[in-house]
Amino acid sequence: MTVIHSERPRILIADDDKSILSLYSKVLAGNKTAQAMFTDATLEGLACKLFGKTEKDERALSFDLTTCHQAEEALEKVQESINNQDPFSVAFLDVRMPPGPDGIWAAQEIRKIDPHVEIVIVTGYSDIHPREIAKKVPPAHKLLYLQKPFHTYELEQFAFSLSVKWNSEKELADSEKRFRTLVEGSPIGTVIIQDGMIMYQNRAMKVFSKYLPESMMLKDFNAHPDDLQKLIYLDKCMNQKEFHPFECEIRFIPFGMKNIDHNIKWVHCTCSQVEFAGIKSAILNMMDMTRIKELEKLAMMREKMVSLGHVATGIAHEIRNPLSGITIFLDAIKETFEEIDDTEDIEELLDHALSAADKIESVIKRVLDFSKFSNPRLKLTDINIPINDAISLSKVTLRKAGIKFKADLLPNAPKIYIDAQLIEQVILNLITNAADALKDIDVKKNILIKTLADKKKLYIIVADSGKGISDDLKEKIFDPFFSTKKNGTGIGLSICQRIIIDHGGTIQAGSLKMGGTQFKISIPIEKRNNSR
């Protein structure tokens, strides 16, 4: 009940007797005693008593009276007060107001317009029992009776007490509304729990709803196996007799989801104690930290790559100088032996040495490419363009290797900000790796490229029908200089990861249920600044 109300409590009087209306006005319209009682009951009066304030406002604040003679007129006044957002706190209604409807009818109709007003039924005689009136004009706690003739002090006390009650209920309702607006609008999920059962949850908890079991019991949340003990301890802290505040981070998995790595949510949980419905309860706040964790991981990877890039540059520089000398010496020796007969064996050995030097130079070039950090040139592009370019470059090689290739690309994929050349490099590298993984496979040599999208991200999936990848290698394969191939440099996937991170995205590896390896790339759809 949010209203703009008068400084003085507004009271409605409905009585067909003019002398009675005159009495109401005399007692309530300018009575300083009632004003003093009302002021003392307000926060201002309490502040004077609690904090020692001695300067009080001595102005005579009487009740703001509105009088009328008939029930229909009273109804009009109430409707007008609601329209003006200046409602009445109390309505005194005479039971009999001939020739029109009676006060009970008026009370029923007023309740429909303003359910918060305090109603006093005033009568000298009524053939209706108060219990019957209470049934017709609920709720009973907002309905009182005043018998004629009444004493002025009774009238003052009724007006004062009911106005204070109305004002207190209004302030309480406003306070509750502000609290609910704050809690319901908060991005932090809030849950109130009693005896392990969830009693209240705000809208933000819908984010976590897929992690809640049907039982709605906290201990039954689907937590990551490594964080299960944290959840058990949290549940214990919130349900034992001696409450203990607790704070932790727990990873949750949606019910029915088996792919833990791709669906996990990091949640920061804090619990404290509150009183809810008169019972001591635990309040649990849950904040989704998944995106923050992802950014932390990306930042850590970026720092790691920068450090390794500096090291790689230094190593490449140290190797390249003596390597250049070796190459020059080998060329000179070869030229010298060309003037001598029967030097075929020596020339062959020198050719092998030069070939080895070229391979070292190639490795050094790739190391330098890895260490060379530059911002991608982001342009709004159809993701299918770099993917199709990479496919075109790979088709001949894949066909010769007997590999079946399938592309399942979104026909109307949302355009995203990418460096098409770099993305093509990533896709080409993943296709090459997939082809290498299928070399030793006799049947079902298949490679699939698929694109998906949601409101925030576009996904690229590159999958093969090979032997798959073990869990302990899923993260290691992105480490620089780590390779599962005999002649691999261990730089290709590191470069791919760096490119995707520079696009503000992620790349993950995993094994498929039917066998084979899958790489999943996610890139934000929205425009963003360059990472570096």
Side-chain angles (χ1 to χ4, degrees):
M1 178 174 59
T2 302
V3 295
I4 302 172
H5 58 282
S6 303
E7 292 182 1
R8 297 183 297 167
R10 297 197 69 205
I11 295 180
L12 174 68
I13 311 293
D15 199 300
D16 64 316
D17 191 331
K18 292 183 179 180
S19 62
I20 297 295
L21 292 179
S22 177
L23 177 61
Y24 275 111
S25 298
K26 182 179 179 181
V27 174
L28 300 179
N31 186 283
K32 293 184 179 180
T33 304
Q35 161 58 22
M37 295 171 67
F38 185 81
T39 302
D40 285 343
T42 62
L43 293 177
E44 184 179 349
L46 291 174
C48 292
K49 293 179 180 180
L50 290 174
F51 303 111
K53 294 182 179 180
T54 57
E55 296 182 3
K56 290 187 179 182
D57 188 356
E58 297 297 338
R59 293 175 300 169
L61 177 62
S62 60
F63 295 101
D64 183 1
L65 295 187
T66 298
T67 61
C68 54
H69 299 86
Q70 293 294 311
E72 294 97 330
E73 188 180 359
L75 199 62
E76 291 176 1
K77 296 294 183 181
V78 172
Q79 185 63 65
E80 184 180 346
S81 72
I82 295 299
N83 293 342
N84 295 333
Q85 294 189 317
D86 194 9
F88 293 104
S89 58
V90 186
F92 287 87
L93 305 175
D94 190 23
V95 172
R96 298 190 179 278
M97 291 182 283
D102 61 15
I104 298 173
W105 175 87
Q108 288 177 298
E109 296 302 313
I110 287 172
R111 269 284 180 263
K112 297 176 184 178
I113 301 172
D114 185 356
H116 306 292
V117 65
E118 302 287 337
I119 295 179
V120 181
I121 299 295
V122 184
T123 181
Y125 170 77
S126 176
D127 54 359
I128 303 178
H129 194 278
R131 289 178 183 172
E132 293 299 318
I133 298 176
K135 290 179 181 179
K136 293 183 177 182
V137 192
H141 71 275
K142 298 185 78 64
L143 181 68
L144 290 177
Y145 309 94
L146 184 60
Q147 190 77 26
K148 292 180 181 179
F150 48 76
H151 196 280
T152 56
Y153 288 112
E154 290 178 337
L155 186 58
E156 288 176 3
Q157 185 64 29
F158 267 65
F160 160 70
S161 298
L162 293 177
S163 294
V164 170
K165 177 175 180 282
W166 178 89
N167 193 65
S168 298
E169 288 181 354
K170 185 195 76 64
E171 289 181 351
L172 181 62
D174 288 347
S175 176
E176 182 179 353
K177 184 176 180 180
R178 286 192 297 270
F179 171 76
R180 284 191 174 273
T181 301
L182 180 65
V183 174
E184 289 297 329
S186 172
I188 299 175
T190 300
V191 190
I192 296 177
I193 299 175
Q194 290 179 357
D195 299 325
M197 296 298 294
I198 296 175
M199 309 301 294
Y200 165 81
Q201 54 182 322
N202 66 351
R203 286 196 300 265
M205 276 304 296
K206 292 180 181 179
V207 176
F208 307 103
S209 60
K210 58 185 176 182
Y211 304 93
L212 297 172
E214 292 181 359
S215 66
M216 297 293 280
M217 296 289 288
L218 177 64
K219 63 184 179 181
D220 293 332
F221 274 47
N222 197 21
H224 189 282
D226 294 342
D227 294 337
L228 188 58
Q229 291 303 316
K230 290 182 184 178
L231 184 65
I232 293 174
Y233 184 74
L234 177 63
D235 182 69
K236 182 180 178 181
C237 289
M238 298 181 70
N239 290 289
Q240 58 188 3
K241 293 181 179 179
E242 294 183 5
F243 180 85
H244 291 285
F246 185 60
E247 184 174 350
C248 64
E249 288 183 352
I250 299 177
R251 288 165 290 178
F252 290 109
I253 309 161
F255 278 85
M257 293 287 185
K258 296 182 179 180
N259 196 334
I260 294 178
D261 293 328
H262 292 177
N263 297 283
I264 194 170
K265 272 211 179 292
W266 283 87
V267 180
H268 184 84
C269 303
T270 58
C271 66
S272 54
Q273 196 171 43
V274 295
E275 188 170 299
F276 182 77
I279 303 174
K280 286 186 177 180
S281 310
I283 181 169
L284 174 65
N285 291 319
M286 304 176 75
M287 187 190 318
D288 188 353
M289 303 286 289
T290 307
R291 182 56 181 163
I292 296 175
K293 290 291 184 181
E294 288 177 354
L295 292 175
E296 287 179 354
K297 186 177 180 180
L298 290 176
M300 190 181 301
M301 288 180 179
R302 196 167 282 136
E303 289 177 4
K304 184 178 180 181
M305 288 181 178
V306 170
S307 299
L308 286 171
H310 291 314
V311 173
T313 302
I315 294 174
H317 177 74
E318 293 299 323
I319 294 175
R320 179 168 272 178
N321 286 338
L323 180 61
S324 298
I326 293 172
T327 304
I328 292 171
F329 291 142
L330 288 173
D331 283 334
I333 292 172
K334 186 176 181 180
E335 290 176 2
T336 302
F337 275 101
E338 284 177 352
E339 299 174 359
I340 305 174
D341 296 333
D342 299 328
T343 59
E344 290 183 4
D345 292 339
I346 297 175
E347 286 183 9
E348 184 179 351
L349 292 174
L350 290 174
D351 287 336
H352 286 307
L354 287 169
S355 176
D358 288 339
K359 287 182 180 179
I360 296 174
E361 176 63 25
S362 175
V363 172
I364 292 173
K365 185 178 182 301
R366 297 193 69 184
V367 170
L368 289 175
D369 288 340
F370 167 77
S371 63
K372 190 188 299 179
F373 292 100
S374 60
N375 286 325
R377 298 177 181 178
L378 303 179
K379 292 183 180 179
L380 194 60
T381 308
D382 182 350
I383 191 65
N384 291 340
I385 294 175
I387 293 178
N388 284 323
D389 288 345
I391 292 172
S392 297
L393 292 172
S394 307
K395 270 187 176 180
V396 176
T397 304
L398 296 177
R399 186 171 62 251
K400 288 181 178 180
I403 297 173
K404 292 182 179 180
F405 187 87
K406 181 181 179 182
D408 185 8
L409 307 182
L410 287 173
N412 297 313
K415 290 185 177 181
I416 58 176
Y417 288 88
I418 58 172
D419 186 321
Q421 186 175 355
L422 292 178
I423 295 299
E424 179 187 337
Q425 180 181 342
V426 171
I427 302 302
L428 190 60
N429 193 298
L430 294 179
I431 292 175
T432 301
N433 283 352
D436 288 341
L438 296 173
K439 282 183 178 179
D440 299 328
I441 303 297
D442 296 330
V443 293
K444 294 182 180 179
K445 292 186 178 183
N446 298 317
I447 294 178
L448 167 69
I449 291 186
K450 187 175 184 178
T451 54
L452 304 167
D454 56 27
K455 292 181 179 180
K456 294 183 178 181
K457 296 180 180 180
L458 189 140
Y459 303 92
I460 307 169
I461 295 174
V462 180
D464 63 61
S465 58
K467 297 179 180 178
I469 184 171
S470 61
D471 291 339
D472 60 327
L473 293 180
K474 283 191 296 185
E475 296 297 332
K476 289 183 180 179
I477 58 174
F478 294 106
D479 290 343
F481 314 117
F482 177 86
S483 178
T484 57
K485 303 175 186 177
K486 292 182 179 180
N487 298 319
T489 59
I491 300 174
L493 285 177
S494 299
I495 294 175
C496 290
Q497 187 182 56
R498 191 205 70 201
I499 291 172
I500 298 302
I501 290 175
D502 287 346
H503 280 73
T506 61
I507 178 170
Q508 296 174 312
S511 292
L512 298 170
K513 293 181 180 179
M514 303 303 291
T517 302
Q518 170 182 287
F519 285 89
K520 184 177 183 180
I521 298 170
S522 69
I523 301 175
I525 293 176
E526 65 178 8
K527 187 176 182 179
R528 65 214 168 277
N529 295 327
N530 284 351
S531 301
R532 302 182 197 287

